Amino acid sequence: MKNKRFVLFIASVFAMICFSGCSDNDDYPTVGTLKVEVTSWNAYYENNTHMAIFPFGYEQGAIKVVDFGTNKIKEVDLNPGNYTVKVSVYGKEEHHWSGNAQVQAGRTELLQLGDSNN
C-alpha cells in the first residue's frame, strides 16, 4: 500500500513538472523596433543614404550602420534603450540629420528626420 502511494506521488510530481514547462506565458519580447523615416526624401538619396545608430551619449562608435537603399523608411531591431541616430546623404549633395529615440521591448518607435528637423 505504501509502495503504491509512493509511485502515485512520484507520478504526480513528474506530471506537474512536465506540464508546468509548457506554458506560453514566458514568451515576452526582448527587442524593440526603431523605424526611421527621411521626410525630405528625393530620388537622389537612393543608394546614397546611410544611417548610423549610437547608444545615447556615446557617439564614438556606431553599434549599427544601415544603408537605406531605395526606401525612405528603414526598420531596425534593437535592444531596449536610448539611441542617437545620424542619417547622412553623400555624393554631390550632402545632408546630415540626427535625432534621439527610446526603444522599448515589443514596441515600434518612429523617428522622422529631414530638412525640417535637422
Side-chain angles (χ1 to χ4, degrees):
M1 186 72 161
K2 287 184 179 182
N3 195 18
K4 199 175 198 181
R5 284 186 186 171
F6 180 72
V7 170
L8 183 61
F9 174 74
I10 295 297
S12 299
V13 169
F14 180 74
M16 286 175 35
I17 290 172
C18 288
F19 292 118
S20 66
C22 297
S23 173
D24 285 337
N25 293 337
D26 59 349
D27 294 335
Y28 296 108
T30 58
V31 296
T33 302
L34 176 62
K35 182 188 283 189
V36 179
E37 177 183 5
V38 177
T39 57
S40 55
W41 187 264
N42 69 44
Y44 174 75
Y45 296 170
E46 292 183 5
N47 299 315
N48 293 319
T49 306
H50 309 282
M51 169 176 59
I53 301 172
F54 304 87
F56 183 76
Y58 300 98
E59 298 180 20
Q60 287 78 24
I63 59 169
K64 198 170 265 198
V65 177
V66 180
D67 187 16
F68 270 82
T70 59
N71 299 320
K72 74 175 194 169
I73 298 175
K74 201 62 157 180
E75 291 186 11
V76 179
D77 289 335
L78 296 168
N79 289 328
N82 297 316
Y83 296 94
T84 297
V85 178
K86 294 185 177 184
V87 175
S88 300
V89 179
Y90 294 102
K92 63 181 178 181
E93 296 179 27
E94 288 196 13
H95 298 279
H96 304 280
W97 306 288
S98 65
N100 299 316
Q102 182 180 52
V103 175
Q104 298 177 5
R107 296 188 176 194
T108 299
E109 175 70 22
L110 175 63
L111 179 62
Q112 295 178 319
L113 299 173
D115 288 334
S116 63
N117 50 359
N118 281 333

Short mmCIF file of all heavy atoms in Angstrom, two decimals, residues 60-85:
data_model
loop_
_atom_site.label_atom_id
_atom_site.label_comp_id
_atom_site.label_asym_id
_atom_site.label_seq_id
_atom_site.Cartn_x
_atom_site.Cartn_y
_atom_site.Cartn_z
N GLN A 60 31.13 57.65 -30.14
CA GLN A 60 32.46 57.35 -30.69
C GLN A 60 32.40 56.23 -31.71
O GLN A 60 33.14 56.23 -32.67
CB GLN A 60 33.44 56.98 -29.57
CG GLN A 60 33.88 58.15 -28.71
CD GLN A 60 32.83 58.55 -27.69
OE1 GLN A 60 31.98 57.76 -27.31
NE2 GLN A 60 32.86 59.79 -27.26
N GLY A 61 31.57 55.24 -31.50
CA GLY A 61 31.49 54.11 -32.42
C GLY A 61 30.06 53.65 -32.58
O GLY A 61 29.36 53.39 -31.61
N ALA A 62 29.62 53.57 -33.83
CA ALA A 62 28.24 53.14 -34.10
C ALA A 62 28.08 51.66 -33.78
O ALA A 62 28.96 50.85 -34.06
CB ALA A 62 27.90 53.39 -35.56
N ILE A 63 26.94 51.32 -33.19
CA ILE A 63 26.66 49.91 -32.92
C ILE A 63 26.02 49.24 -34.13
O ILE A 63 26.04 48.03 -34.24
CB ILE A 63 25.77 49.71 -31.68
CG1 ILE A 63 24.44 50.44 -31.84
CG2 ILE A 63 26.49 50.16 -30.43
CD1 ILE A 63 23.43 50.08 -30.78
N LYS A 64 25.48 50.08 -35.03
CA LYS A 64 24.87 49.53 -36.24
C LYS A 64 24.88 50.60 -37.32
O LYS A 64 24.58 51.76 -37.07
CB LYS A 64 23.43 49.09 -35.95
CG LYS A 64 22.87 48.14 -36.96
CD LYS A 64 21.55 47.56 -36.49
CE LYS A 64 21.86 46.24 -35.83
NZ LYS A 64 20.71 45.38 -35.69
N VAL A 65 25.25 50.21 -38.54
CA VAL A 65 25.21 51.10 -39.69
C VAL A 65 24.34 50.41 -40.75
O VAL A 65 24.56 49.25 -41.08
CB VAL A 65 26.62 51.39 -40.26
CG1 VAL A 65 26.54 52.25 -41.50
CG2 VAL A 65 27.49 52.05 -39.20
N VAL A 66 23.36 51.16 -41.26
CA VAL A 66 22.38 50.59 -42.18
C VAL A 66 22.30 51.45 -43.43
O VAL A 66 22.27 52.68 -43.34
CB VAL A 66 20.99 50.51 -41.52
CG1 VAL A 66 19.96 49.92 -42.45
CG2 VAL A 66 21.06 49.71 -40.23
N ASP A 67 22.25 50.82 -44.59
CA ASP A 67 22.09 51.50 -45.86
C ASP A 67 20.60 51.57 -46.18
O ASP A 67 19.89 50.57 -46.11
CB ASP A 67 22.84 50.72 -46.94
CG ASP A 67 22.87 51.44 -48.27
OD1 ASP A 67 22.60 52.65 -48.29
OD2 ASP A 67 23.17 50.79 -49.28
N PHE A 68 20.10 52.74 -46.54
CA PHE A 68 18.67 52.89 -46.85
C PHE A 68 18.30 52.25 -48.18
O PHE A 68 17.15 51.88 -48.38
CB PHE A 68 18.29 54.37 -46.87
CG PHE A 68 17.84 54.89 -45.54
CD1 PHE A 68 18.76 55.28 -44.59
CD2 PHE A 68 16.50 55.00 -45.23
CE1 PHE A 68 18.37 55.76 -43.37
CE2 PHE A 68 16.08 55.47 -44.02
CZ PHE A 68 17.02 55.86 -43.07
N GLY A 69 19.21 52.18 -49.12
CA GLY A 69 18.88 51.63 -50.43
C GLY A 69 17.93 52.56 -51.16
O GLY A 69 18.19 53.75 -51.29
N THR A 70 16.79 52.04 -51.63
CA THR A 70 15.83 52.85 -52.37
C THR A 70 14.62 53.25 -51.54
O THR A 70 13.68 53.84 -52.05
CB THR A 70 15.34 52.08 -53.62
OG1 THR A 70 14.75 50.86 -53.20
CG2 THR A 70 16.50 51.82 -54.57
N ASN A 71 14.61 52.91 -50.25
CA ASN A 71 13.46 53.20 -49.39
C ASN A 71 13.72 54.41 -48.52
O ASN A 71 14.83 54.63 -48.06
CB ASN A 71 13.15 52.01 -48.49
CG ASN A 71 12.80 50.78 -49.29
OD1 ASN A 71 12.10 50.87 -50.28
ND2 ASN A 71 13.31 49.64 -48.87
N LYS A 72 12.68 55.18 -48.25
CA LYS A 72 12.83 56.33 -47.36
C LYS A 72 12.57 55.95 -45.91
O LYS A 72 12.77 56.73 -45.01
CB LYS A 72 11.93 57.48 -47.79
CG LYS A 72 10.46 57.29 -47.50
CD LYS A 72 9.71 58.56 -47.86
CE LYS A 72 8.32 58.52 -47.27
NZ LYS A 72 7.67 59.82 -47.38
N ILE A 73 12.12 54.71 -45.68
CA ILE A 73 11.87 54.22 -44.33
C ILE A 73 12.70 52.96 -44.11
O ILE A 73 12.74 52.07 -44.96
CB ILE A 73 10.37 53.89 -44.12
CG1 ILE A 73 9.53 55.15 -44.28
CG2 ILE A 73 10.15 53.26 -42.76
CD1 ILE A 73 8.05 54.91 -44.21
N LYS A 74 13.35 52.89 -42.96
CA LYS A 74 14.16 51.72 -42.62
C LYS A 74 13.81 51.30 -41.21
O LYS A 74 13.70 52.13 -40.31
CB LYS A 74 15.64 52.08 -42.72
CG LYS A 74 16.53 50.89 -42.88
CD LYS A 74 16.20 50.16 -44.15
CE LYS A 74 17.32 49.33 -44.65
NZ LYS A 74 17.03 48.63 -45.86
N GLU A 75 13.63 49.99 -40.99
CA GLU A 75 13.34 49.44 -39.67
C GLU A 75 14.53 48.62 -39.19
O GLU A 75 15.11 47.86 -39.95
CB GLU A 75 12.10 48.56 -39.70
CG GLU A 75 10.82 49.31 -39.93
CD GLU A 75 9.58 48.44 -39.80
OE1 GLU A 75 9.70 47.29 -39.33
OE2 GLU A 75 8.51 48.90 -40.18
N VAL A 76 14.85 48.80 -37.90
CA VAL A 76 15.97 48.09 -37.29
C VAL A 76 15.52 47.56 -35.93
O VAL A 76 14.93 48.31 -35.15
CB VAL A 76 17.18 49.04 -37.11
CG1 VAL A 76 18.34 48.32 -36.46
CG2 VAL A 76 17.60 49.64 -38.43
N ASP A 77 15.78 46.29 -35.66
CA ASP A 77 15.50 45.72 -34.34
C ASP A 77 16.68 46.00 -33.41
O ASP A 77 17.83 45.75 -33.77
CB ASP A 77 15.27 44.21 -34.44
CG ASP A 77 13.94 43.87 -35.12
OD1 ASP A 77 13.04 44.72 -35.08
OD2 ASP A 77 13.82 42.77 -35.68
N LEU A 78 16.36 46.53 -32.22
CA LEU A 78 17.39 46.89 -31.25
C LEU A 78 16.98 46.45 -29.85
O LEU A 78 15.79 46.29 -29.57
CB LEU A 78 17.60 48.41 -31.23
CG LEU A 78 18.14 49.06 -32.49
CD1 LEU A 78 18.00 50.57 -32.41
CD2 LEU A 78 19.59 48.67 -32.69
N ASN A 79 17.96 46.30 -28.99
CA ASN A 79 17.67 46.06 -27.58
C ASN A 79 17.05 47.31 -26.99
O ASN A 79 17.31 48.42 -27.46
CB ASN A 79 18.96 45.71 -26.82
CG ASN A 79 19.49 44.35 -27.19
OD1 ASN A 79 18.73 43.44 -27.51
ND2 ASN A 79 20.80 44.21 -27.16
N PRO A 80 16.25 47.17 -25.95
CA PRO A 80 15.66 48.36 -25.32
C PRO A 80 16.76 49.31 -24.84
O PRO A 80 17.80 48.89 -24.34
CB PRO A 80 14.88 47.79 -24.14
CG PRO A 80 14.59 46.38 -24.53
CD PRO A 80 15.76 45.93 -25.34
N GLY A 81 16.52 50.61 -25.04
CA GLY A 81 17.48 51.61 -24.61
C GLY A 81 17.29 52.92 -25.34
O GLY A 81 16.38 53.07 -26.16
N ASN A 82 18.14 53.87 -25.06
CA ASN A 82 18.12 55.18 -25.69
C ASN A 82 19.23 55.26 -26.73
O ASN A 82 20.36 54.88 -26.46
CB ASN A 82 18.31 56.28 -24.64
CG ASN A 82 17.18 56.26 -23.64
OD1 ASN A 82 16.02 56.13 -24.00
ND2 ASN A 82 17.51 56.39 -22.36
N TYR A 83 18.87 55.78 -27.90
CA TYR A 83 19.80 55.79 -29.02
C TYR A 83 19.83 57.15 -29.71
O TYR A 83 18.83 57.88 -29.71
CB TYR A 83 19.40 54.74 -30.06
CG TYR A 83 19.48 53.33 -29.54
CD1 TYR A 83 18.36 52.70 -29.00
CD2 TYR A 83 20.68 52.63 -29.55
CE1 TYR A 83 18.43 51.41 -28.51
CE2 TYR A 83 20.77 51.34 -29.06
CZ TYR A 83 19.64 50.74 -28.53
OH TYR A 83 19.73 49.46 -28.05
N THR A 84 20.97 57.47 -30.29
CA THR A 84 21.13 58.62 -31.18
C THR A 84 21.27 58.06 -32.60
O THR A 84 22.05 57.14 -32.83
CB THR A 84 22.37 59.45 -30.82
OG1 THR A 84 22.19 59.97 -29.50
CG2 THR A 84 22.56 60.60 -31.78
N VAL A 85 20.50 58.63 -33.52
CA VAL A 85 20.50 58.17 -34.90
C VAL A 85 21.00 59.31 -35.78
O VAL A 85 20.53 60.44 -35.67
CB VAL A 85 19.09 57.75 -35.36
CG1 VAL A 85 19.09 57.33 -36.81
CG2 VAL A 85 18.56 56.64 -34.47
#
